[in-house]
Amino acid sequence: MKLAIAALLVSGVAAFAPSAQVGRPITTLHKGAMSEEVGIPCEEECALDSFPNLPDSVHPGVVSGQALVDLLNHAKENGYAIPAVNCVTSSSINACLEAARENDAPIMIQFSSGGSNFYAGKGVDNTNYRACIAGAISGAFHVRTMAEQYGVPVILHTDHCSKQLLPWIDGLIAASERYFEKHGEPLFSSHMIDLSEEPIEENIQICKDYLERMDKIGLLLEMELGITGGEEDGVDNTDRPIEDLYSKPEEIYQVYEELTKVSDKFTVAAAFGNVHGVYKPGNVKLEPKILDKAQKYITEKLGDDAPESGLPVAFVFHGGSGSDVSDIQEAIGYGTIKMNIDTDTQWSYWEGIKDFEAKYHGYLQGQIGNPEGDDKPNKKYYDPRECLRSAEANTVARLTQAYADLKCQNICGLGQKKEAENVMGPRRGGLPV
């Protein structure tokens, strides 16, 4: 790979200091840019300049800058939301890409700080968030390499970043600045900064400061206003006061007014009762109309400058797992363009492994000996590719349900996916999973 990844991963955080030169024009890379970079074929969908049903700027592979803005505006204008999945391995990334192509639609692949740490491997020291930075960058290059091969538009994002985790994001932005100097676009598409636990004035000011830096290279900012309840990736908000789970229109307008002074490349994770995790029906009270009230309030404030759609804000939906479909689709109608699905995809991945073990239990108790005979080998059953493929297939099925719930199917206009050939299946010694 021509890009010297190793140069990004030395001398701790010092290697991730901001690039000294940022400012060349933001360009849209030609088709198959990453494939050309690493010298692999770029054929069929990979070789497309754009998609039949999407804005011309949106191309196969990772999108950023104006192409990302155009894609999110297309979602808002056409009444769908893009699923966003937290990934921790190349296997979970591949499942997301496969689901996106199966549903002929975009996908958002994102990394949390903990997921990034895991991607690097638990054997890497994480002092000064070194492992988190390295893991996210490693995952980003995997996404960039394979997104083009699957022929779908991908938003490469990072999830919740609290105030104490800002050095992690600093490292990733610095990596994008270096990538931008070589390629004319950032390594990532966007980053979330979650300062919802800080005073709103501090939250807005820090987000403005980051947006000024990010906008120079075409990175989009996602900011959070209000608290997402529940627990995820070590962040526990289960005991927060109920009023913290609901944002106020005036606060959302305050964010919109201040960030638009810097750039239009931002989205808002406003709280409307969202909770991470899955709970029994009735335990979570979502109020999507909070988003509607905010859009109307801001539209009134903007007057003649308000968009005709009456949806000036691009909202994101956190804690989507287990949510009622009617609440999801109501939120989409109020300008929600992305929904996080973490807990449900964690379960679907595990369930695929669980079901595989149950189906082949008698073949997974030793290397030799199974129901067909004491001397029969079991290698093709305990080959990790088999149970992991079962996990991927189950996750693709769960994401297909999510795509339907989000009204995000047949968006690109590619048509039905052609069956992949020469993969490890029953004819080549694999199991039918």
Side-chain angles (χ1 to χ4, degrees):
M1 186 179 295
K2 296 177 183 177
L3 183 67
I5 302 174
L8 296 172
L9 305 179
V10 297
S11 303
V13 173
F16 301 94
S19 174
Q21 296 182 352
V22 174
R24 65 180 267 194
I26 299 173
T27 59
T28 300
L29 297 190
H30 63 292
K31 61 187 177 184
M34 191 64 185
S35 299
E36 181 178 322
E37 176 84 9
V38 298
I40 56 178
C42 181
E43 302 171 356
E44 300 177 337
E45 288 97 343
C46 173
L48 294 174
D49 285 314
S50 59
F51 296 97
N53 295 347
L54 287 173
D56 289 342
S57 61
V58 182
H59 54 81
V62 173
V63 295
S64 61
Q66 191 57 48
L68 174 55
V69 173
D70 292 344
L71 176 58
L72 297 183
N73 284 340
H74 186 271
K76 188 161 58 169
E77 292 164 4
N78 290 275
Y80 66 90
I82 300 169
V85 185
N86 284 40
C87 293
V88 297
T89 66
S90 59
S91 174
S92 53
I93 290 171
N94 293 346
C96 289
L97 294 172
E98 182 178 350
R101 183 59 190 89
E102 289 282 354
N103 288 277
D104 189 14
I107 186 86
M108 180 177 284
I109 292 174
Q110 56 191 32
F111 304 110
S112 66
S113 58
S116 299
N117 192 348
F118 186 84
Y119 205 99
K122 291 296 186 175
V124 178
D125 183 80
N126 196 38
T127 302
N128 296 324
Y129 302 104
R130 171 184 154 204
C132 291
I133 294 168
I137 291 172
S138 177
F141 276 100
H142 179 85
V143 173
R144 279 195 166 272
T145 302
M146 297 311 303
E148 291 177 357
Q149 295 299 311
Y150 279 87
V152 292
V154 177
I155 302 169
L156 182 52
H157 183 65
T158 57
D159 204 9
H160 294 269
C161 174
S162 64
K163 190 174 181 179
Q164 70 177 18
L165 288 171
L166 287 174
W168 169 53
I169 291 299
D170 289 338
L172 301 184
I173 295 175
S176 276
E177 288 169 339
R178 285 183 171 83
Y179 193 87
F180 182 88
E181 285 301 312
K182 285 197 170 192
H183 302 280
E185 69 168 355
L187 178 61
F188 290 85
S189 305
S190 54
H191 298 293
M192 179 188 186
I193 295 179
D194 178 3
L195 304 178
S196 55
E197 296 186 350
E198 313 303 327
I200 187 170
E201 292 77 13
E202 182 180 5
N203 183 353
I204 293 173
Q205 186 56 55
I206 292 176
C207 284
K208 282 182 68 176
D209 292 342
Y210 272 89
L211 185 57
E212 286 177 359
R213 179 182 175 187
M214 294 165 66
D215 185 56
K216 293 175 183 177
I217 57 173
L219 279 169
L220 180 139
L221 170 71
E222 177 186 320
M223 69 88 65
E224 178 152 348
L225 184 64
I227 300 292
T228 301
E231 189 274 334
E232 181 179 62
D233 208 31
V235 178
D236 190 349
N237 289 324
T238 52
D239 296 326
R240 296 297 298 236
I242 190 68
E243 59 269 18
D244 288 352
L245 304 184
Y246 300 94
S247 299
K248 299 176 179 62
E250 297 83 1
E251 294 173 335
I252 299 172
Y253 174 61
Q254 188 178 352
V255 169
Y256 180 86
E257 183 180 37
E258 290 300 316
L259 293 187
T260 50
K261 293 176 182 178
V262 178
S263 172
D264 63 347
K265 295 183 183 69
F266 69 91
T267 58
V268 179
F272 56 100
N274 321 54
V275 175
H276 287 135
V278 176
Y279 300 87
K280 289 183 179 180
N283 285 6
V284 176
K285 180 63 174 174
L286 290 176
E287 295 287 353
K289 285 186 172 53
I290 287 175
L291 306 182
D292 182 39
K293 291 176 182 177
Q295 297 282 27
K296 289 176 178 176
Y297 181 87
I298 296 171
T299 295
E300 184 178 348
K301 286 288 187 180
L302 293 176
D304 293 340
D305 293 329
E308 291 184 9
S309 65
L311 302 173
V313 183
F315 286 119
V316 300
F317 185 161
H318 280 250
S321 293
S323 297
D324 190 86
V325 175
S326 62
D327 287 332
I328 292 171
Q329 297 188 349
E330 184 178 359
I332 292 171
Y334 302 144
T336 294
I337 47 79
K338 165 218 173 183
M339 187 178 83
N340 284 13
I341 310 161
D342 184 25
T343 304
D344 280 356
T345 50
Q346 286 178 342
W347 173 257
S348 67
Y349 197 90
W350 157 245
E351 185 180 49
I353 294 173
K354 178 175 69 73
D355 291 350
F356 179 88
E357 195 283 332
K359 182 176 181 180
Y360 297 108
H361 180 82
Y363 298 82
L364 296 169
Q365 304 310 303
Q367 288 186 286
I368 303 291
N370 60 46
E372 297 176 29
D374 292 341
D375 60 346
K376 296 291 185 180
N378 295 318
K379 178 173 170 50
K380 74 176 181 180
Y381 296 94
Y382 62 77
D383 183 331
R385 289 174 292 183
E386 298 292 358
C387 65
L388 292 182
R389 179 56 194 158
S390 180
E392 291 172 0
N394 207 50
T395 299
V396 170
R398 176 61 186 87
L399 283 173
T400 294
Q401 177 190 331
Y403 271 109
D405 294 344
L406 295 170
K407 300 193 282 188
C408 187
Q409 292 177 308
N410 304 313
I411 299 298
C412 299
L414 296 174
Q416 187 173 359
K417 176 182 176 292
K418 188 175 77 171
E419 188 90 23
E421 297 180 355
N422 296 317
V423 296
M424 184 179 133
R427 290 181 60 193
R428 294 179 175 269
L431 297 174
V433 295

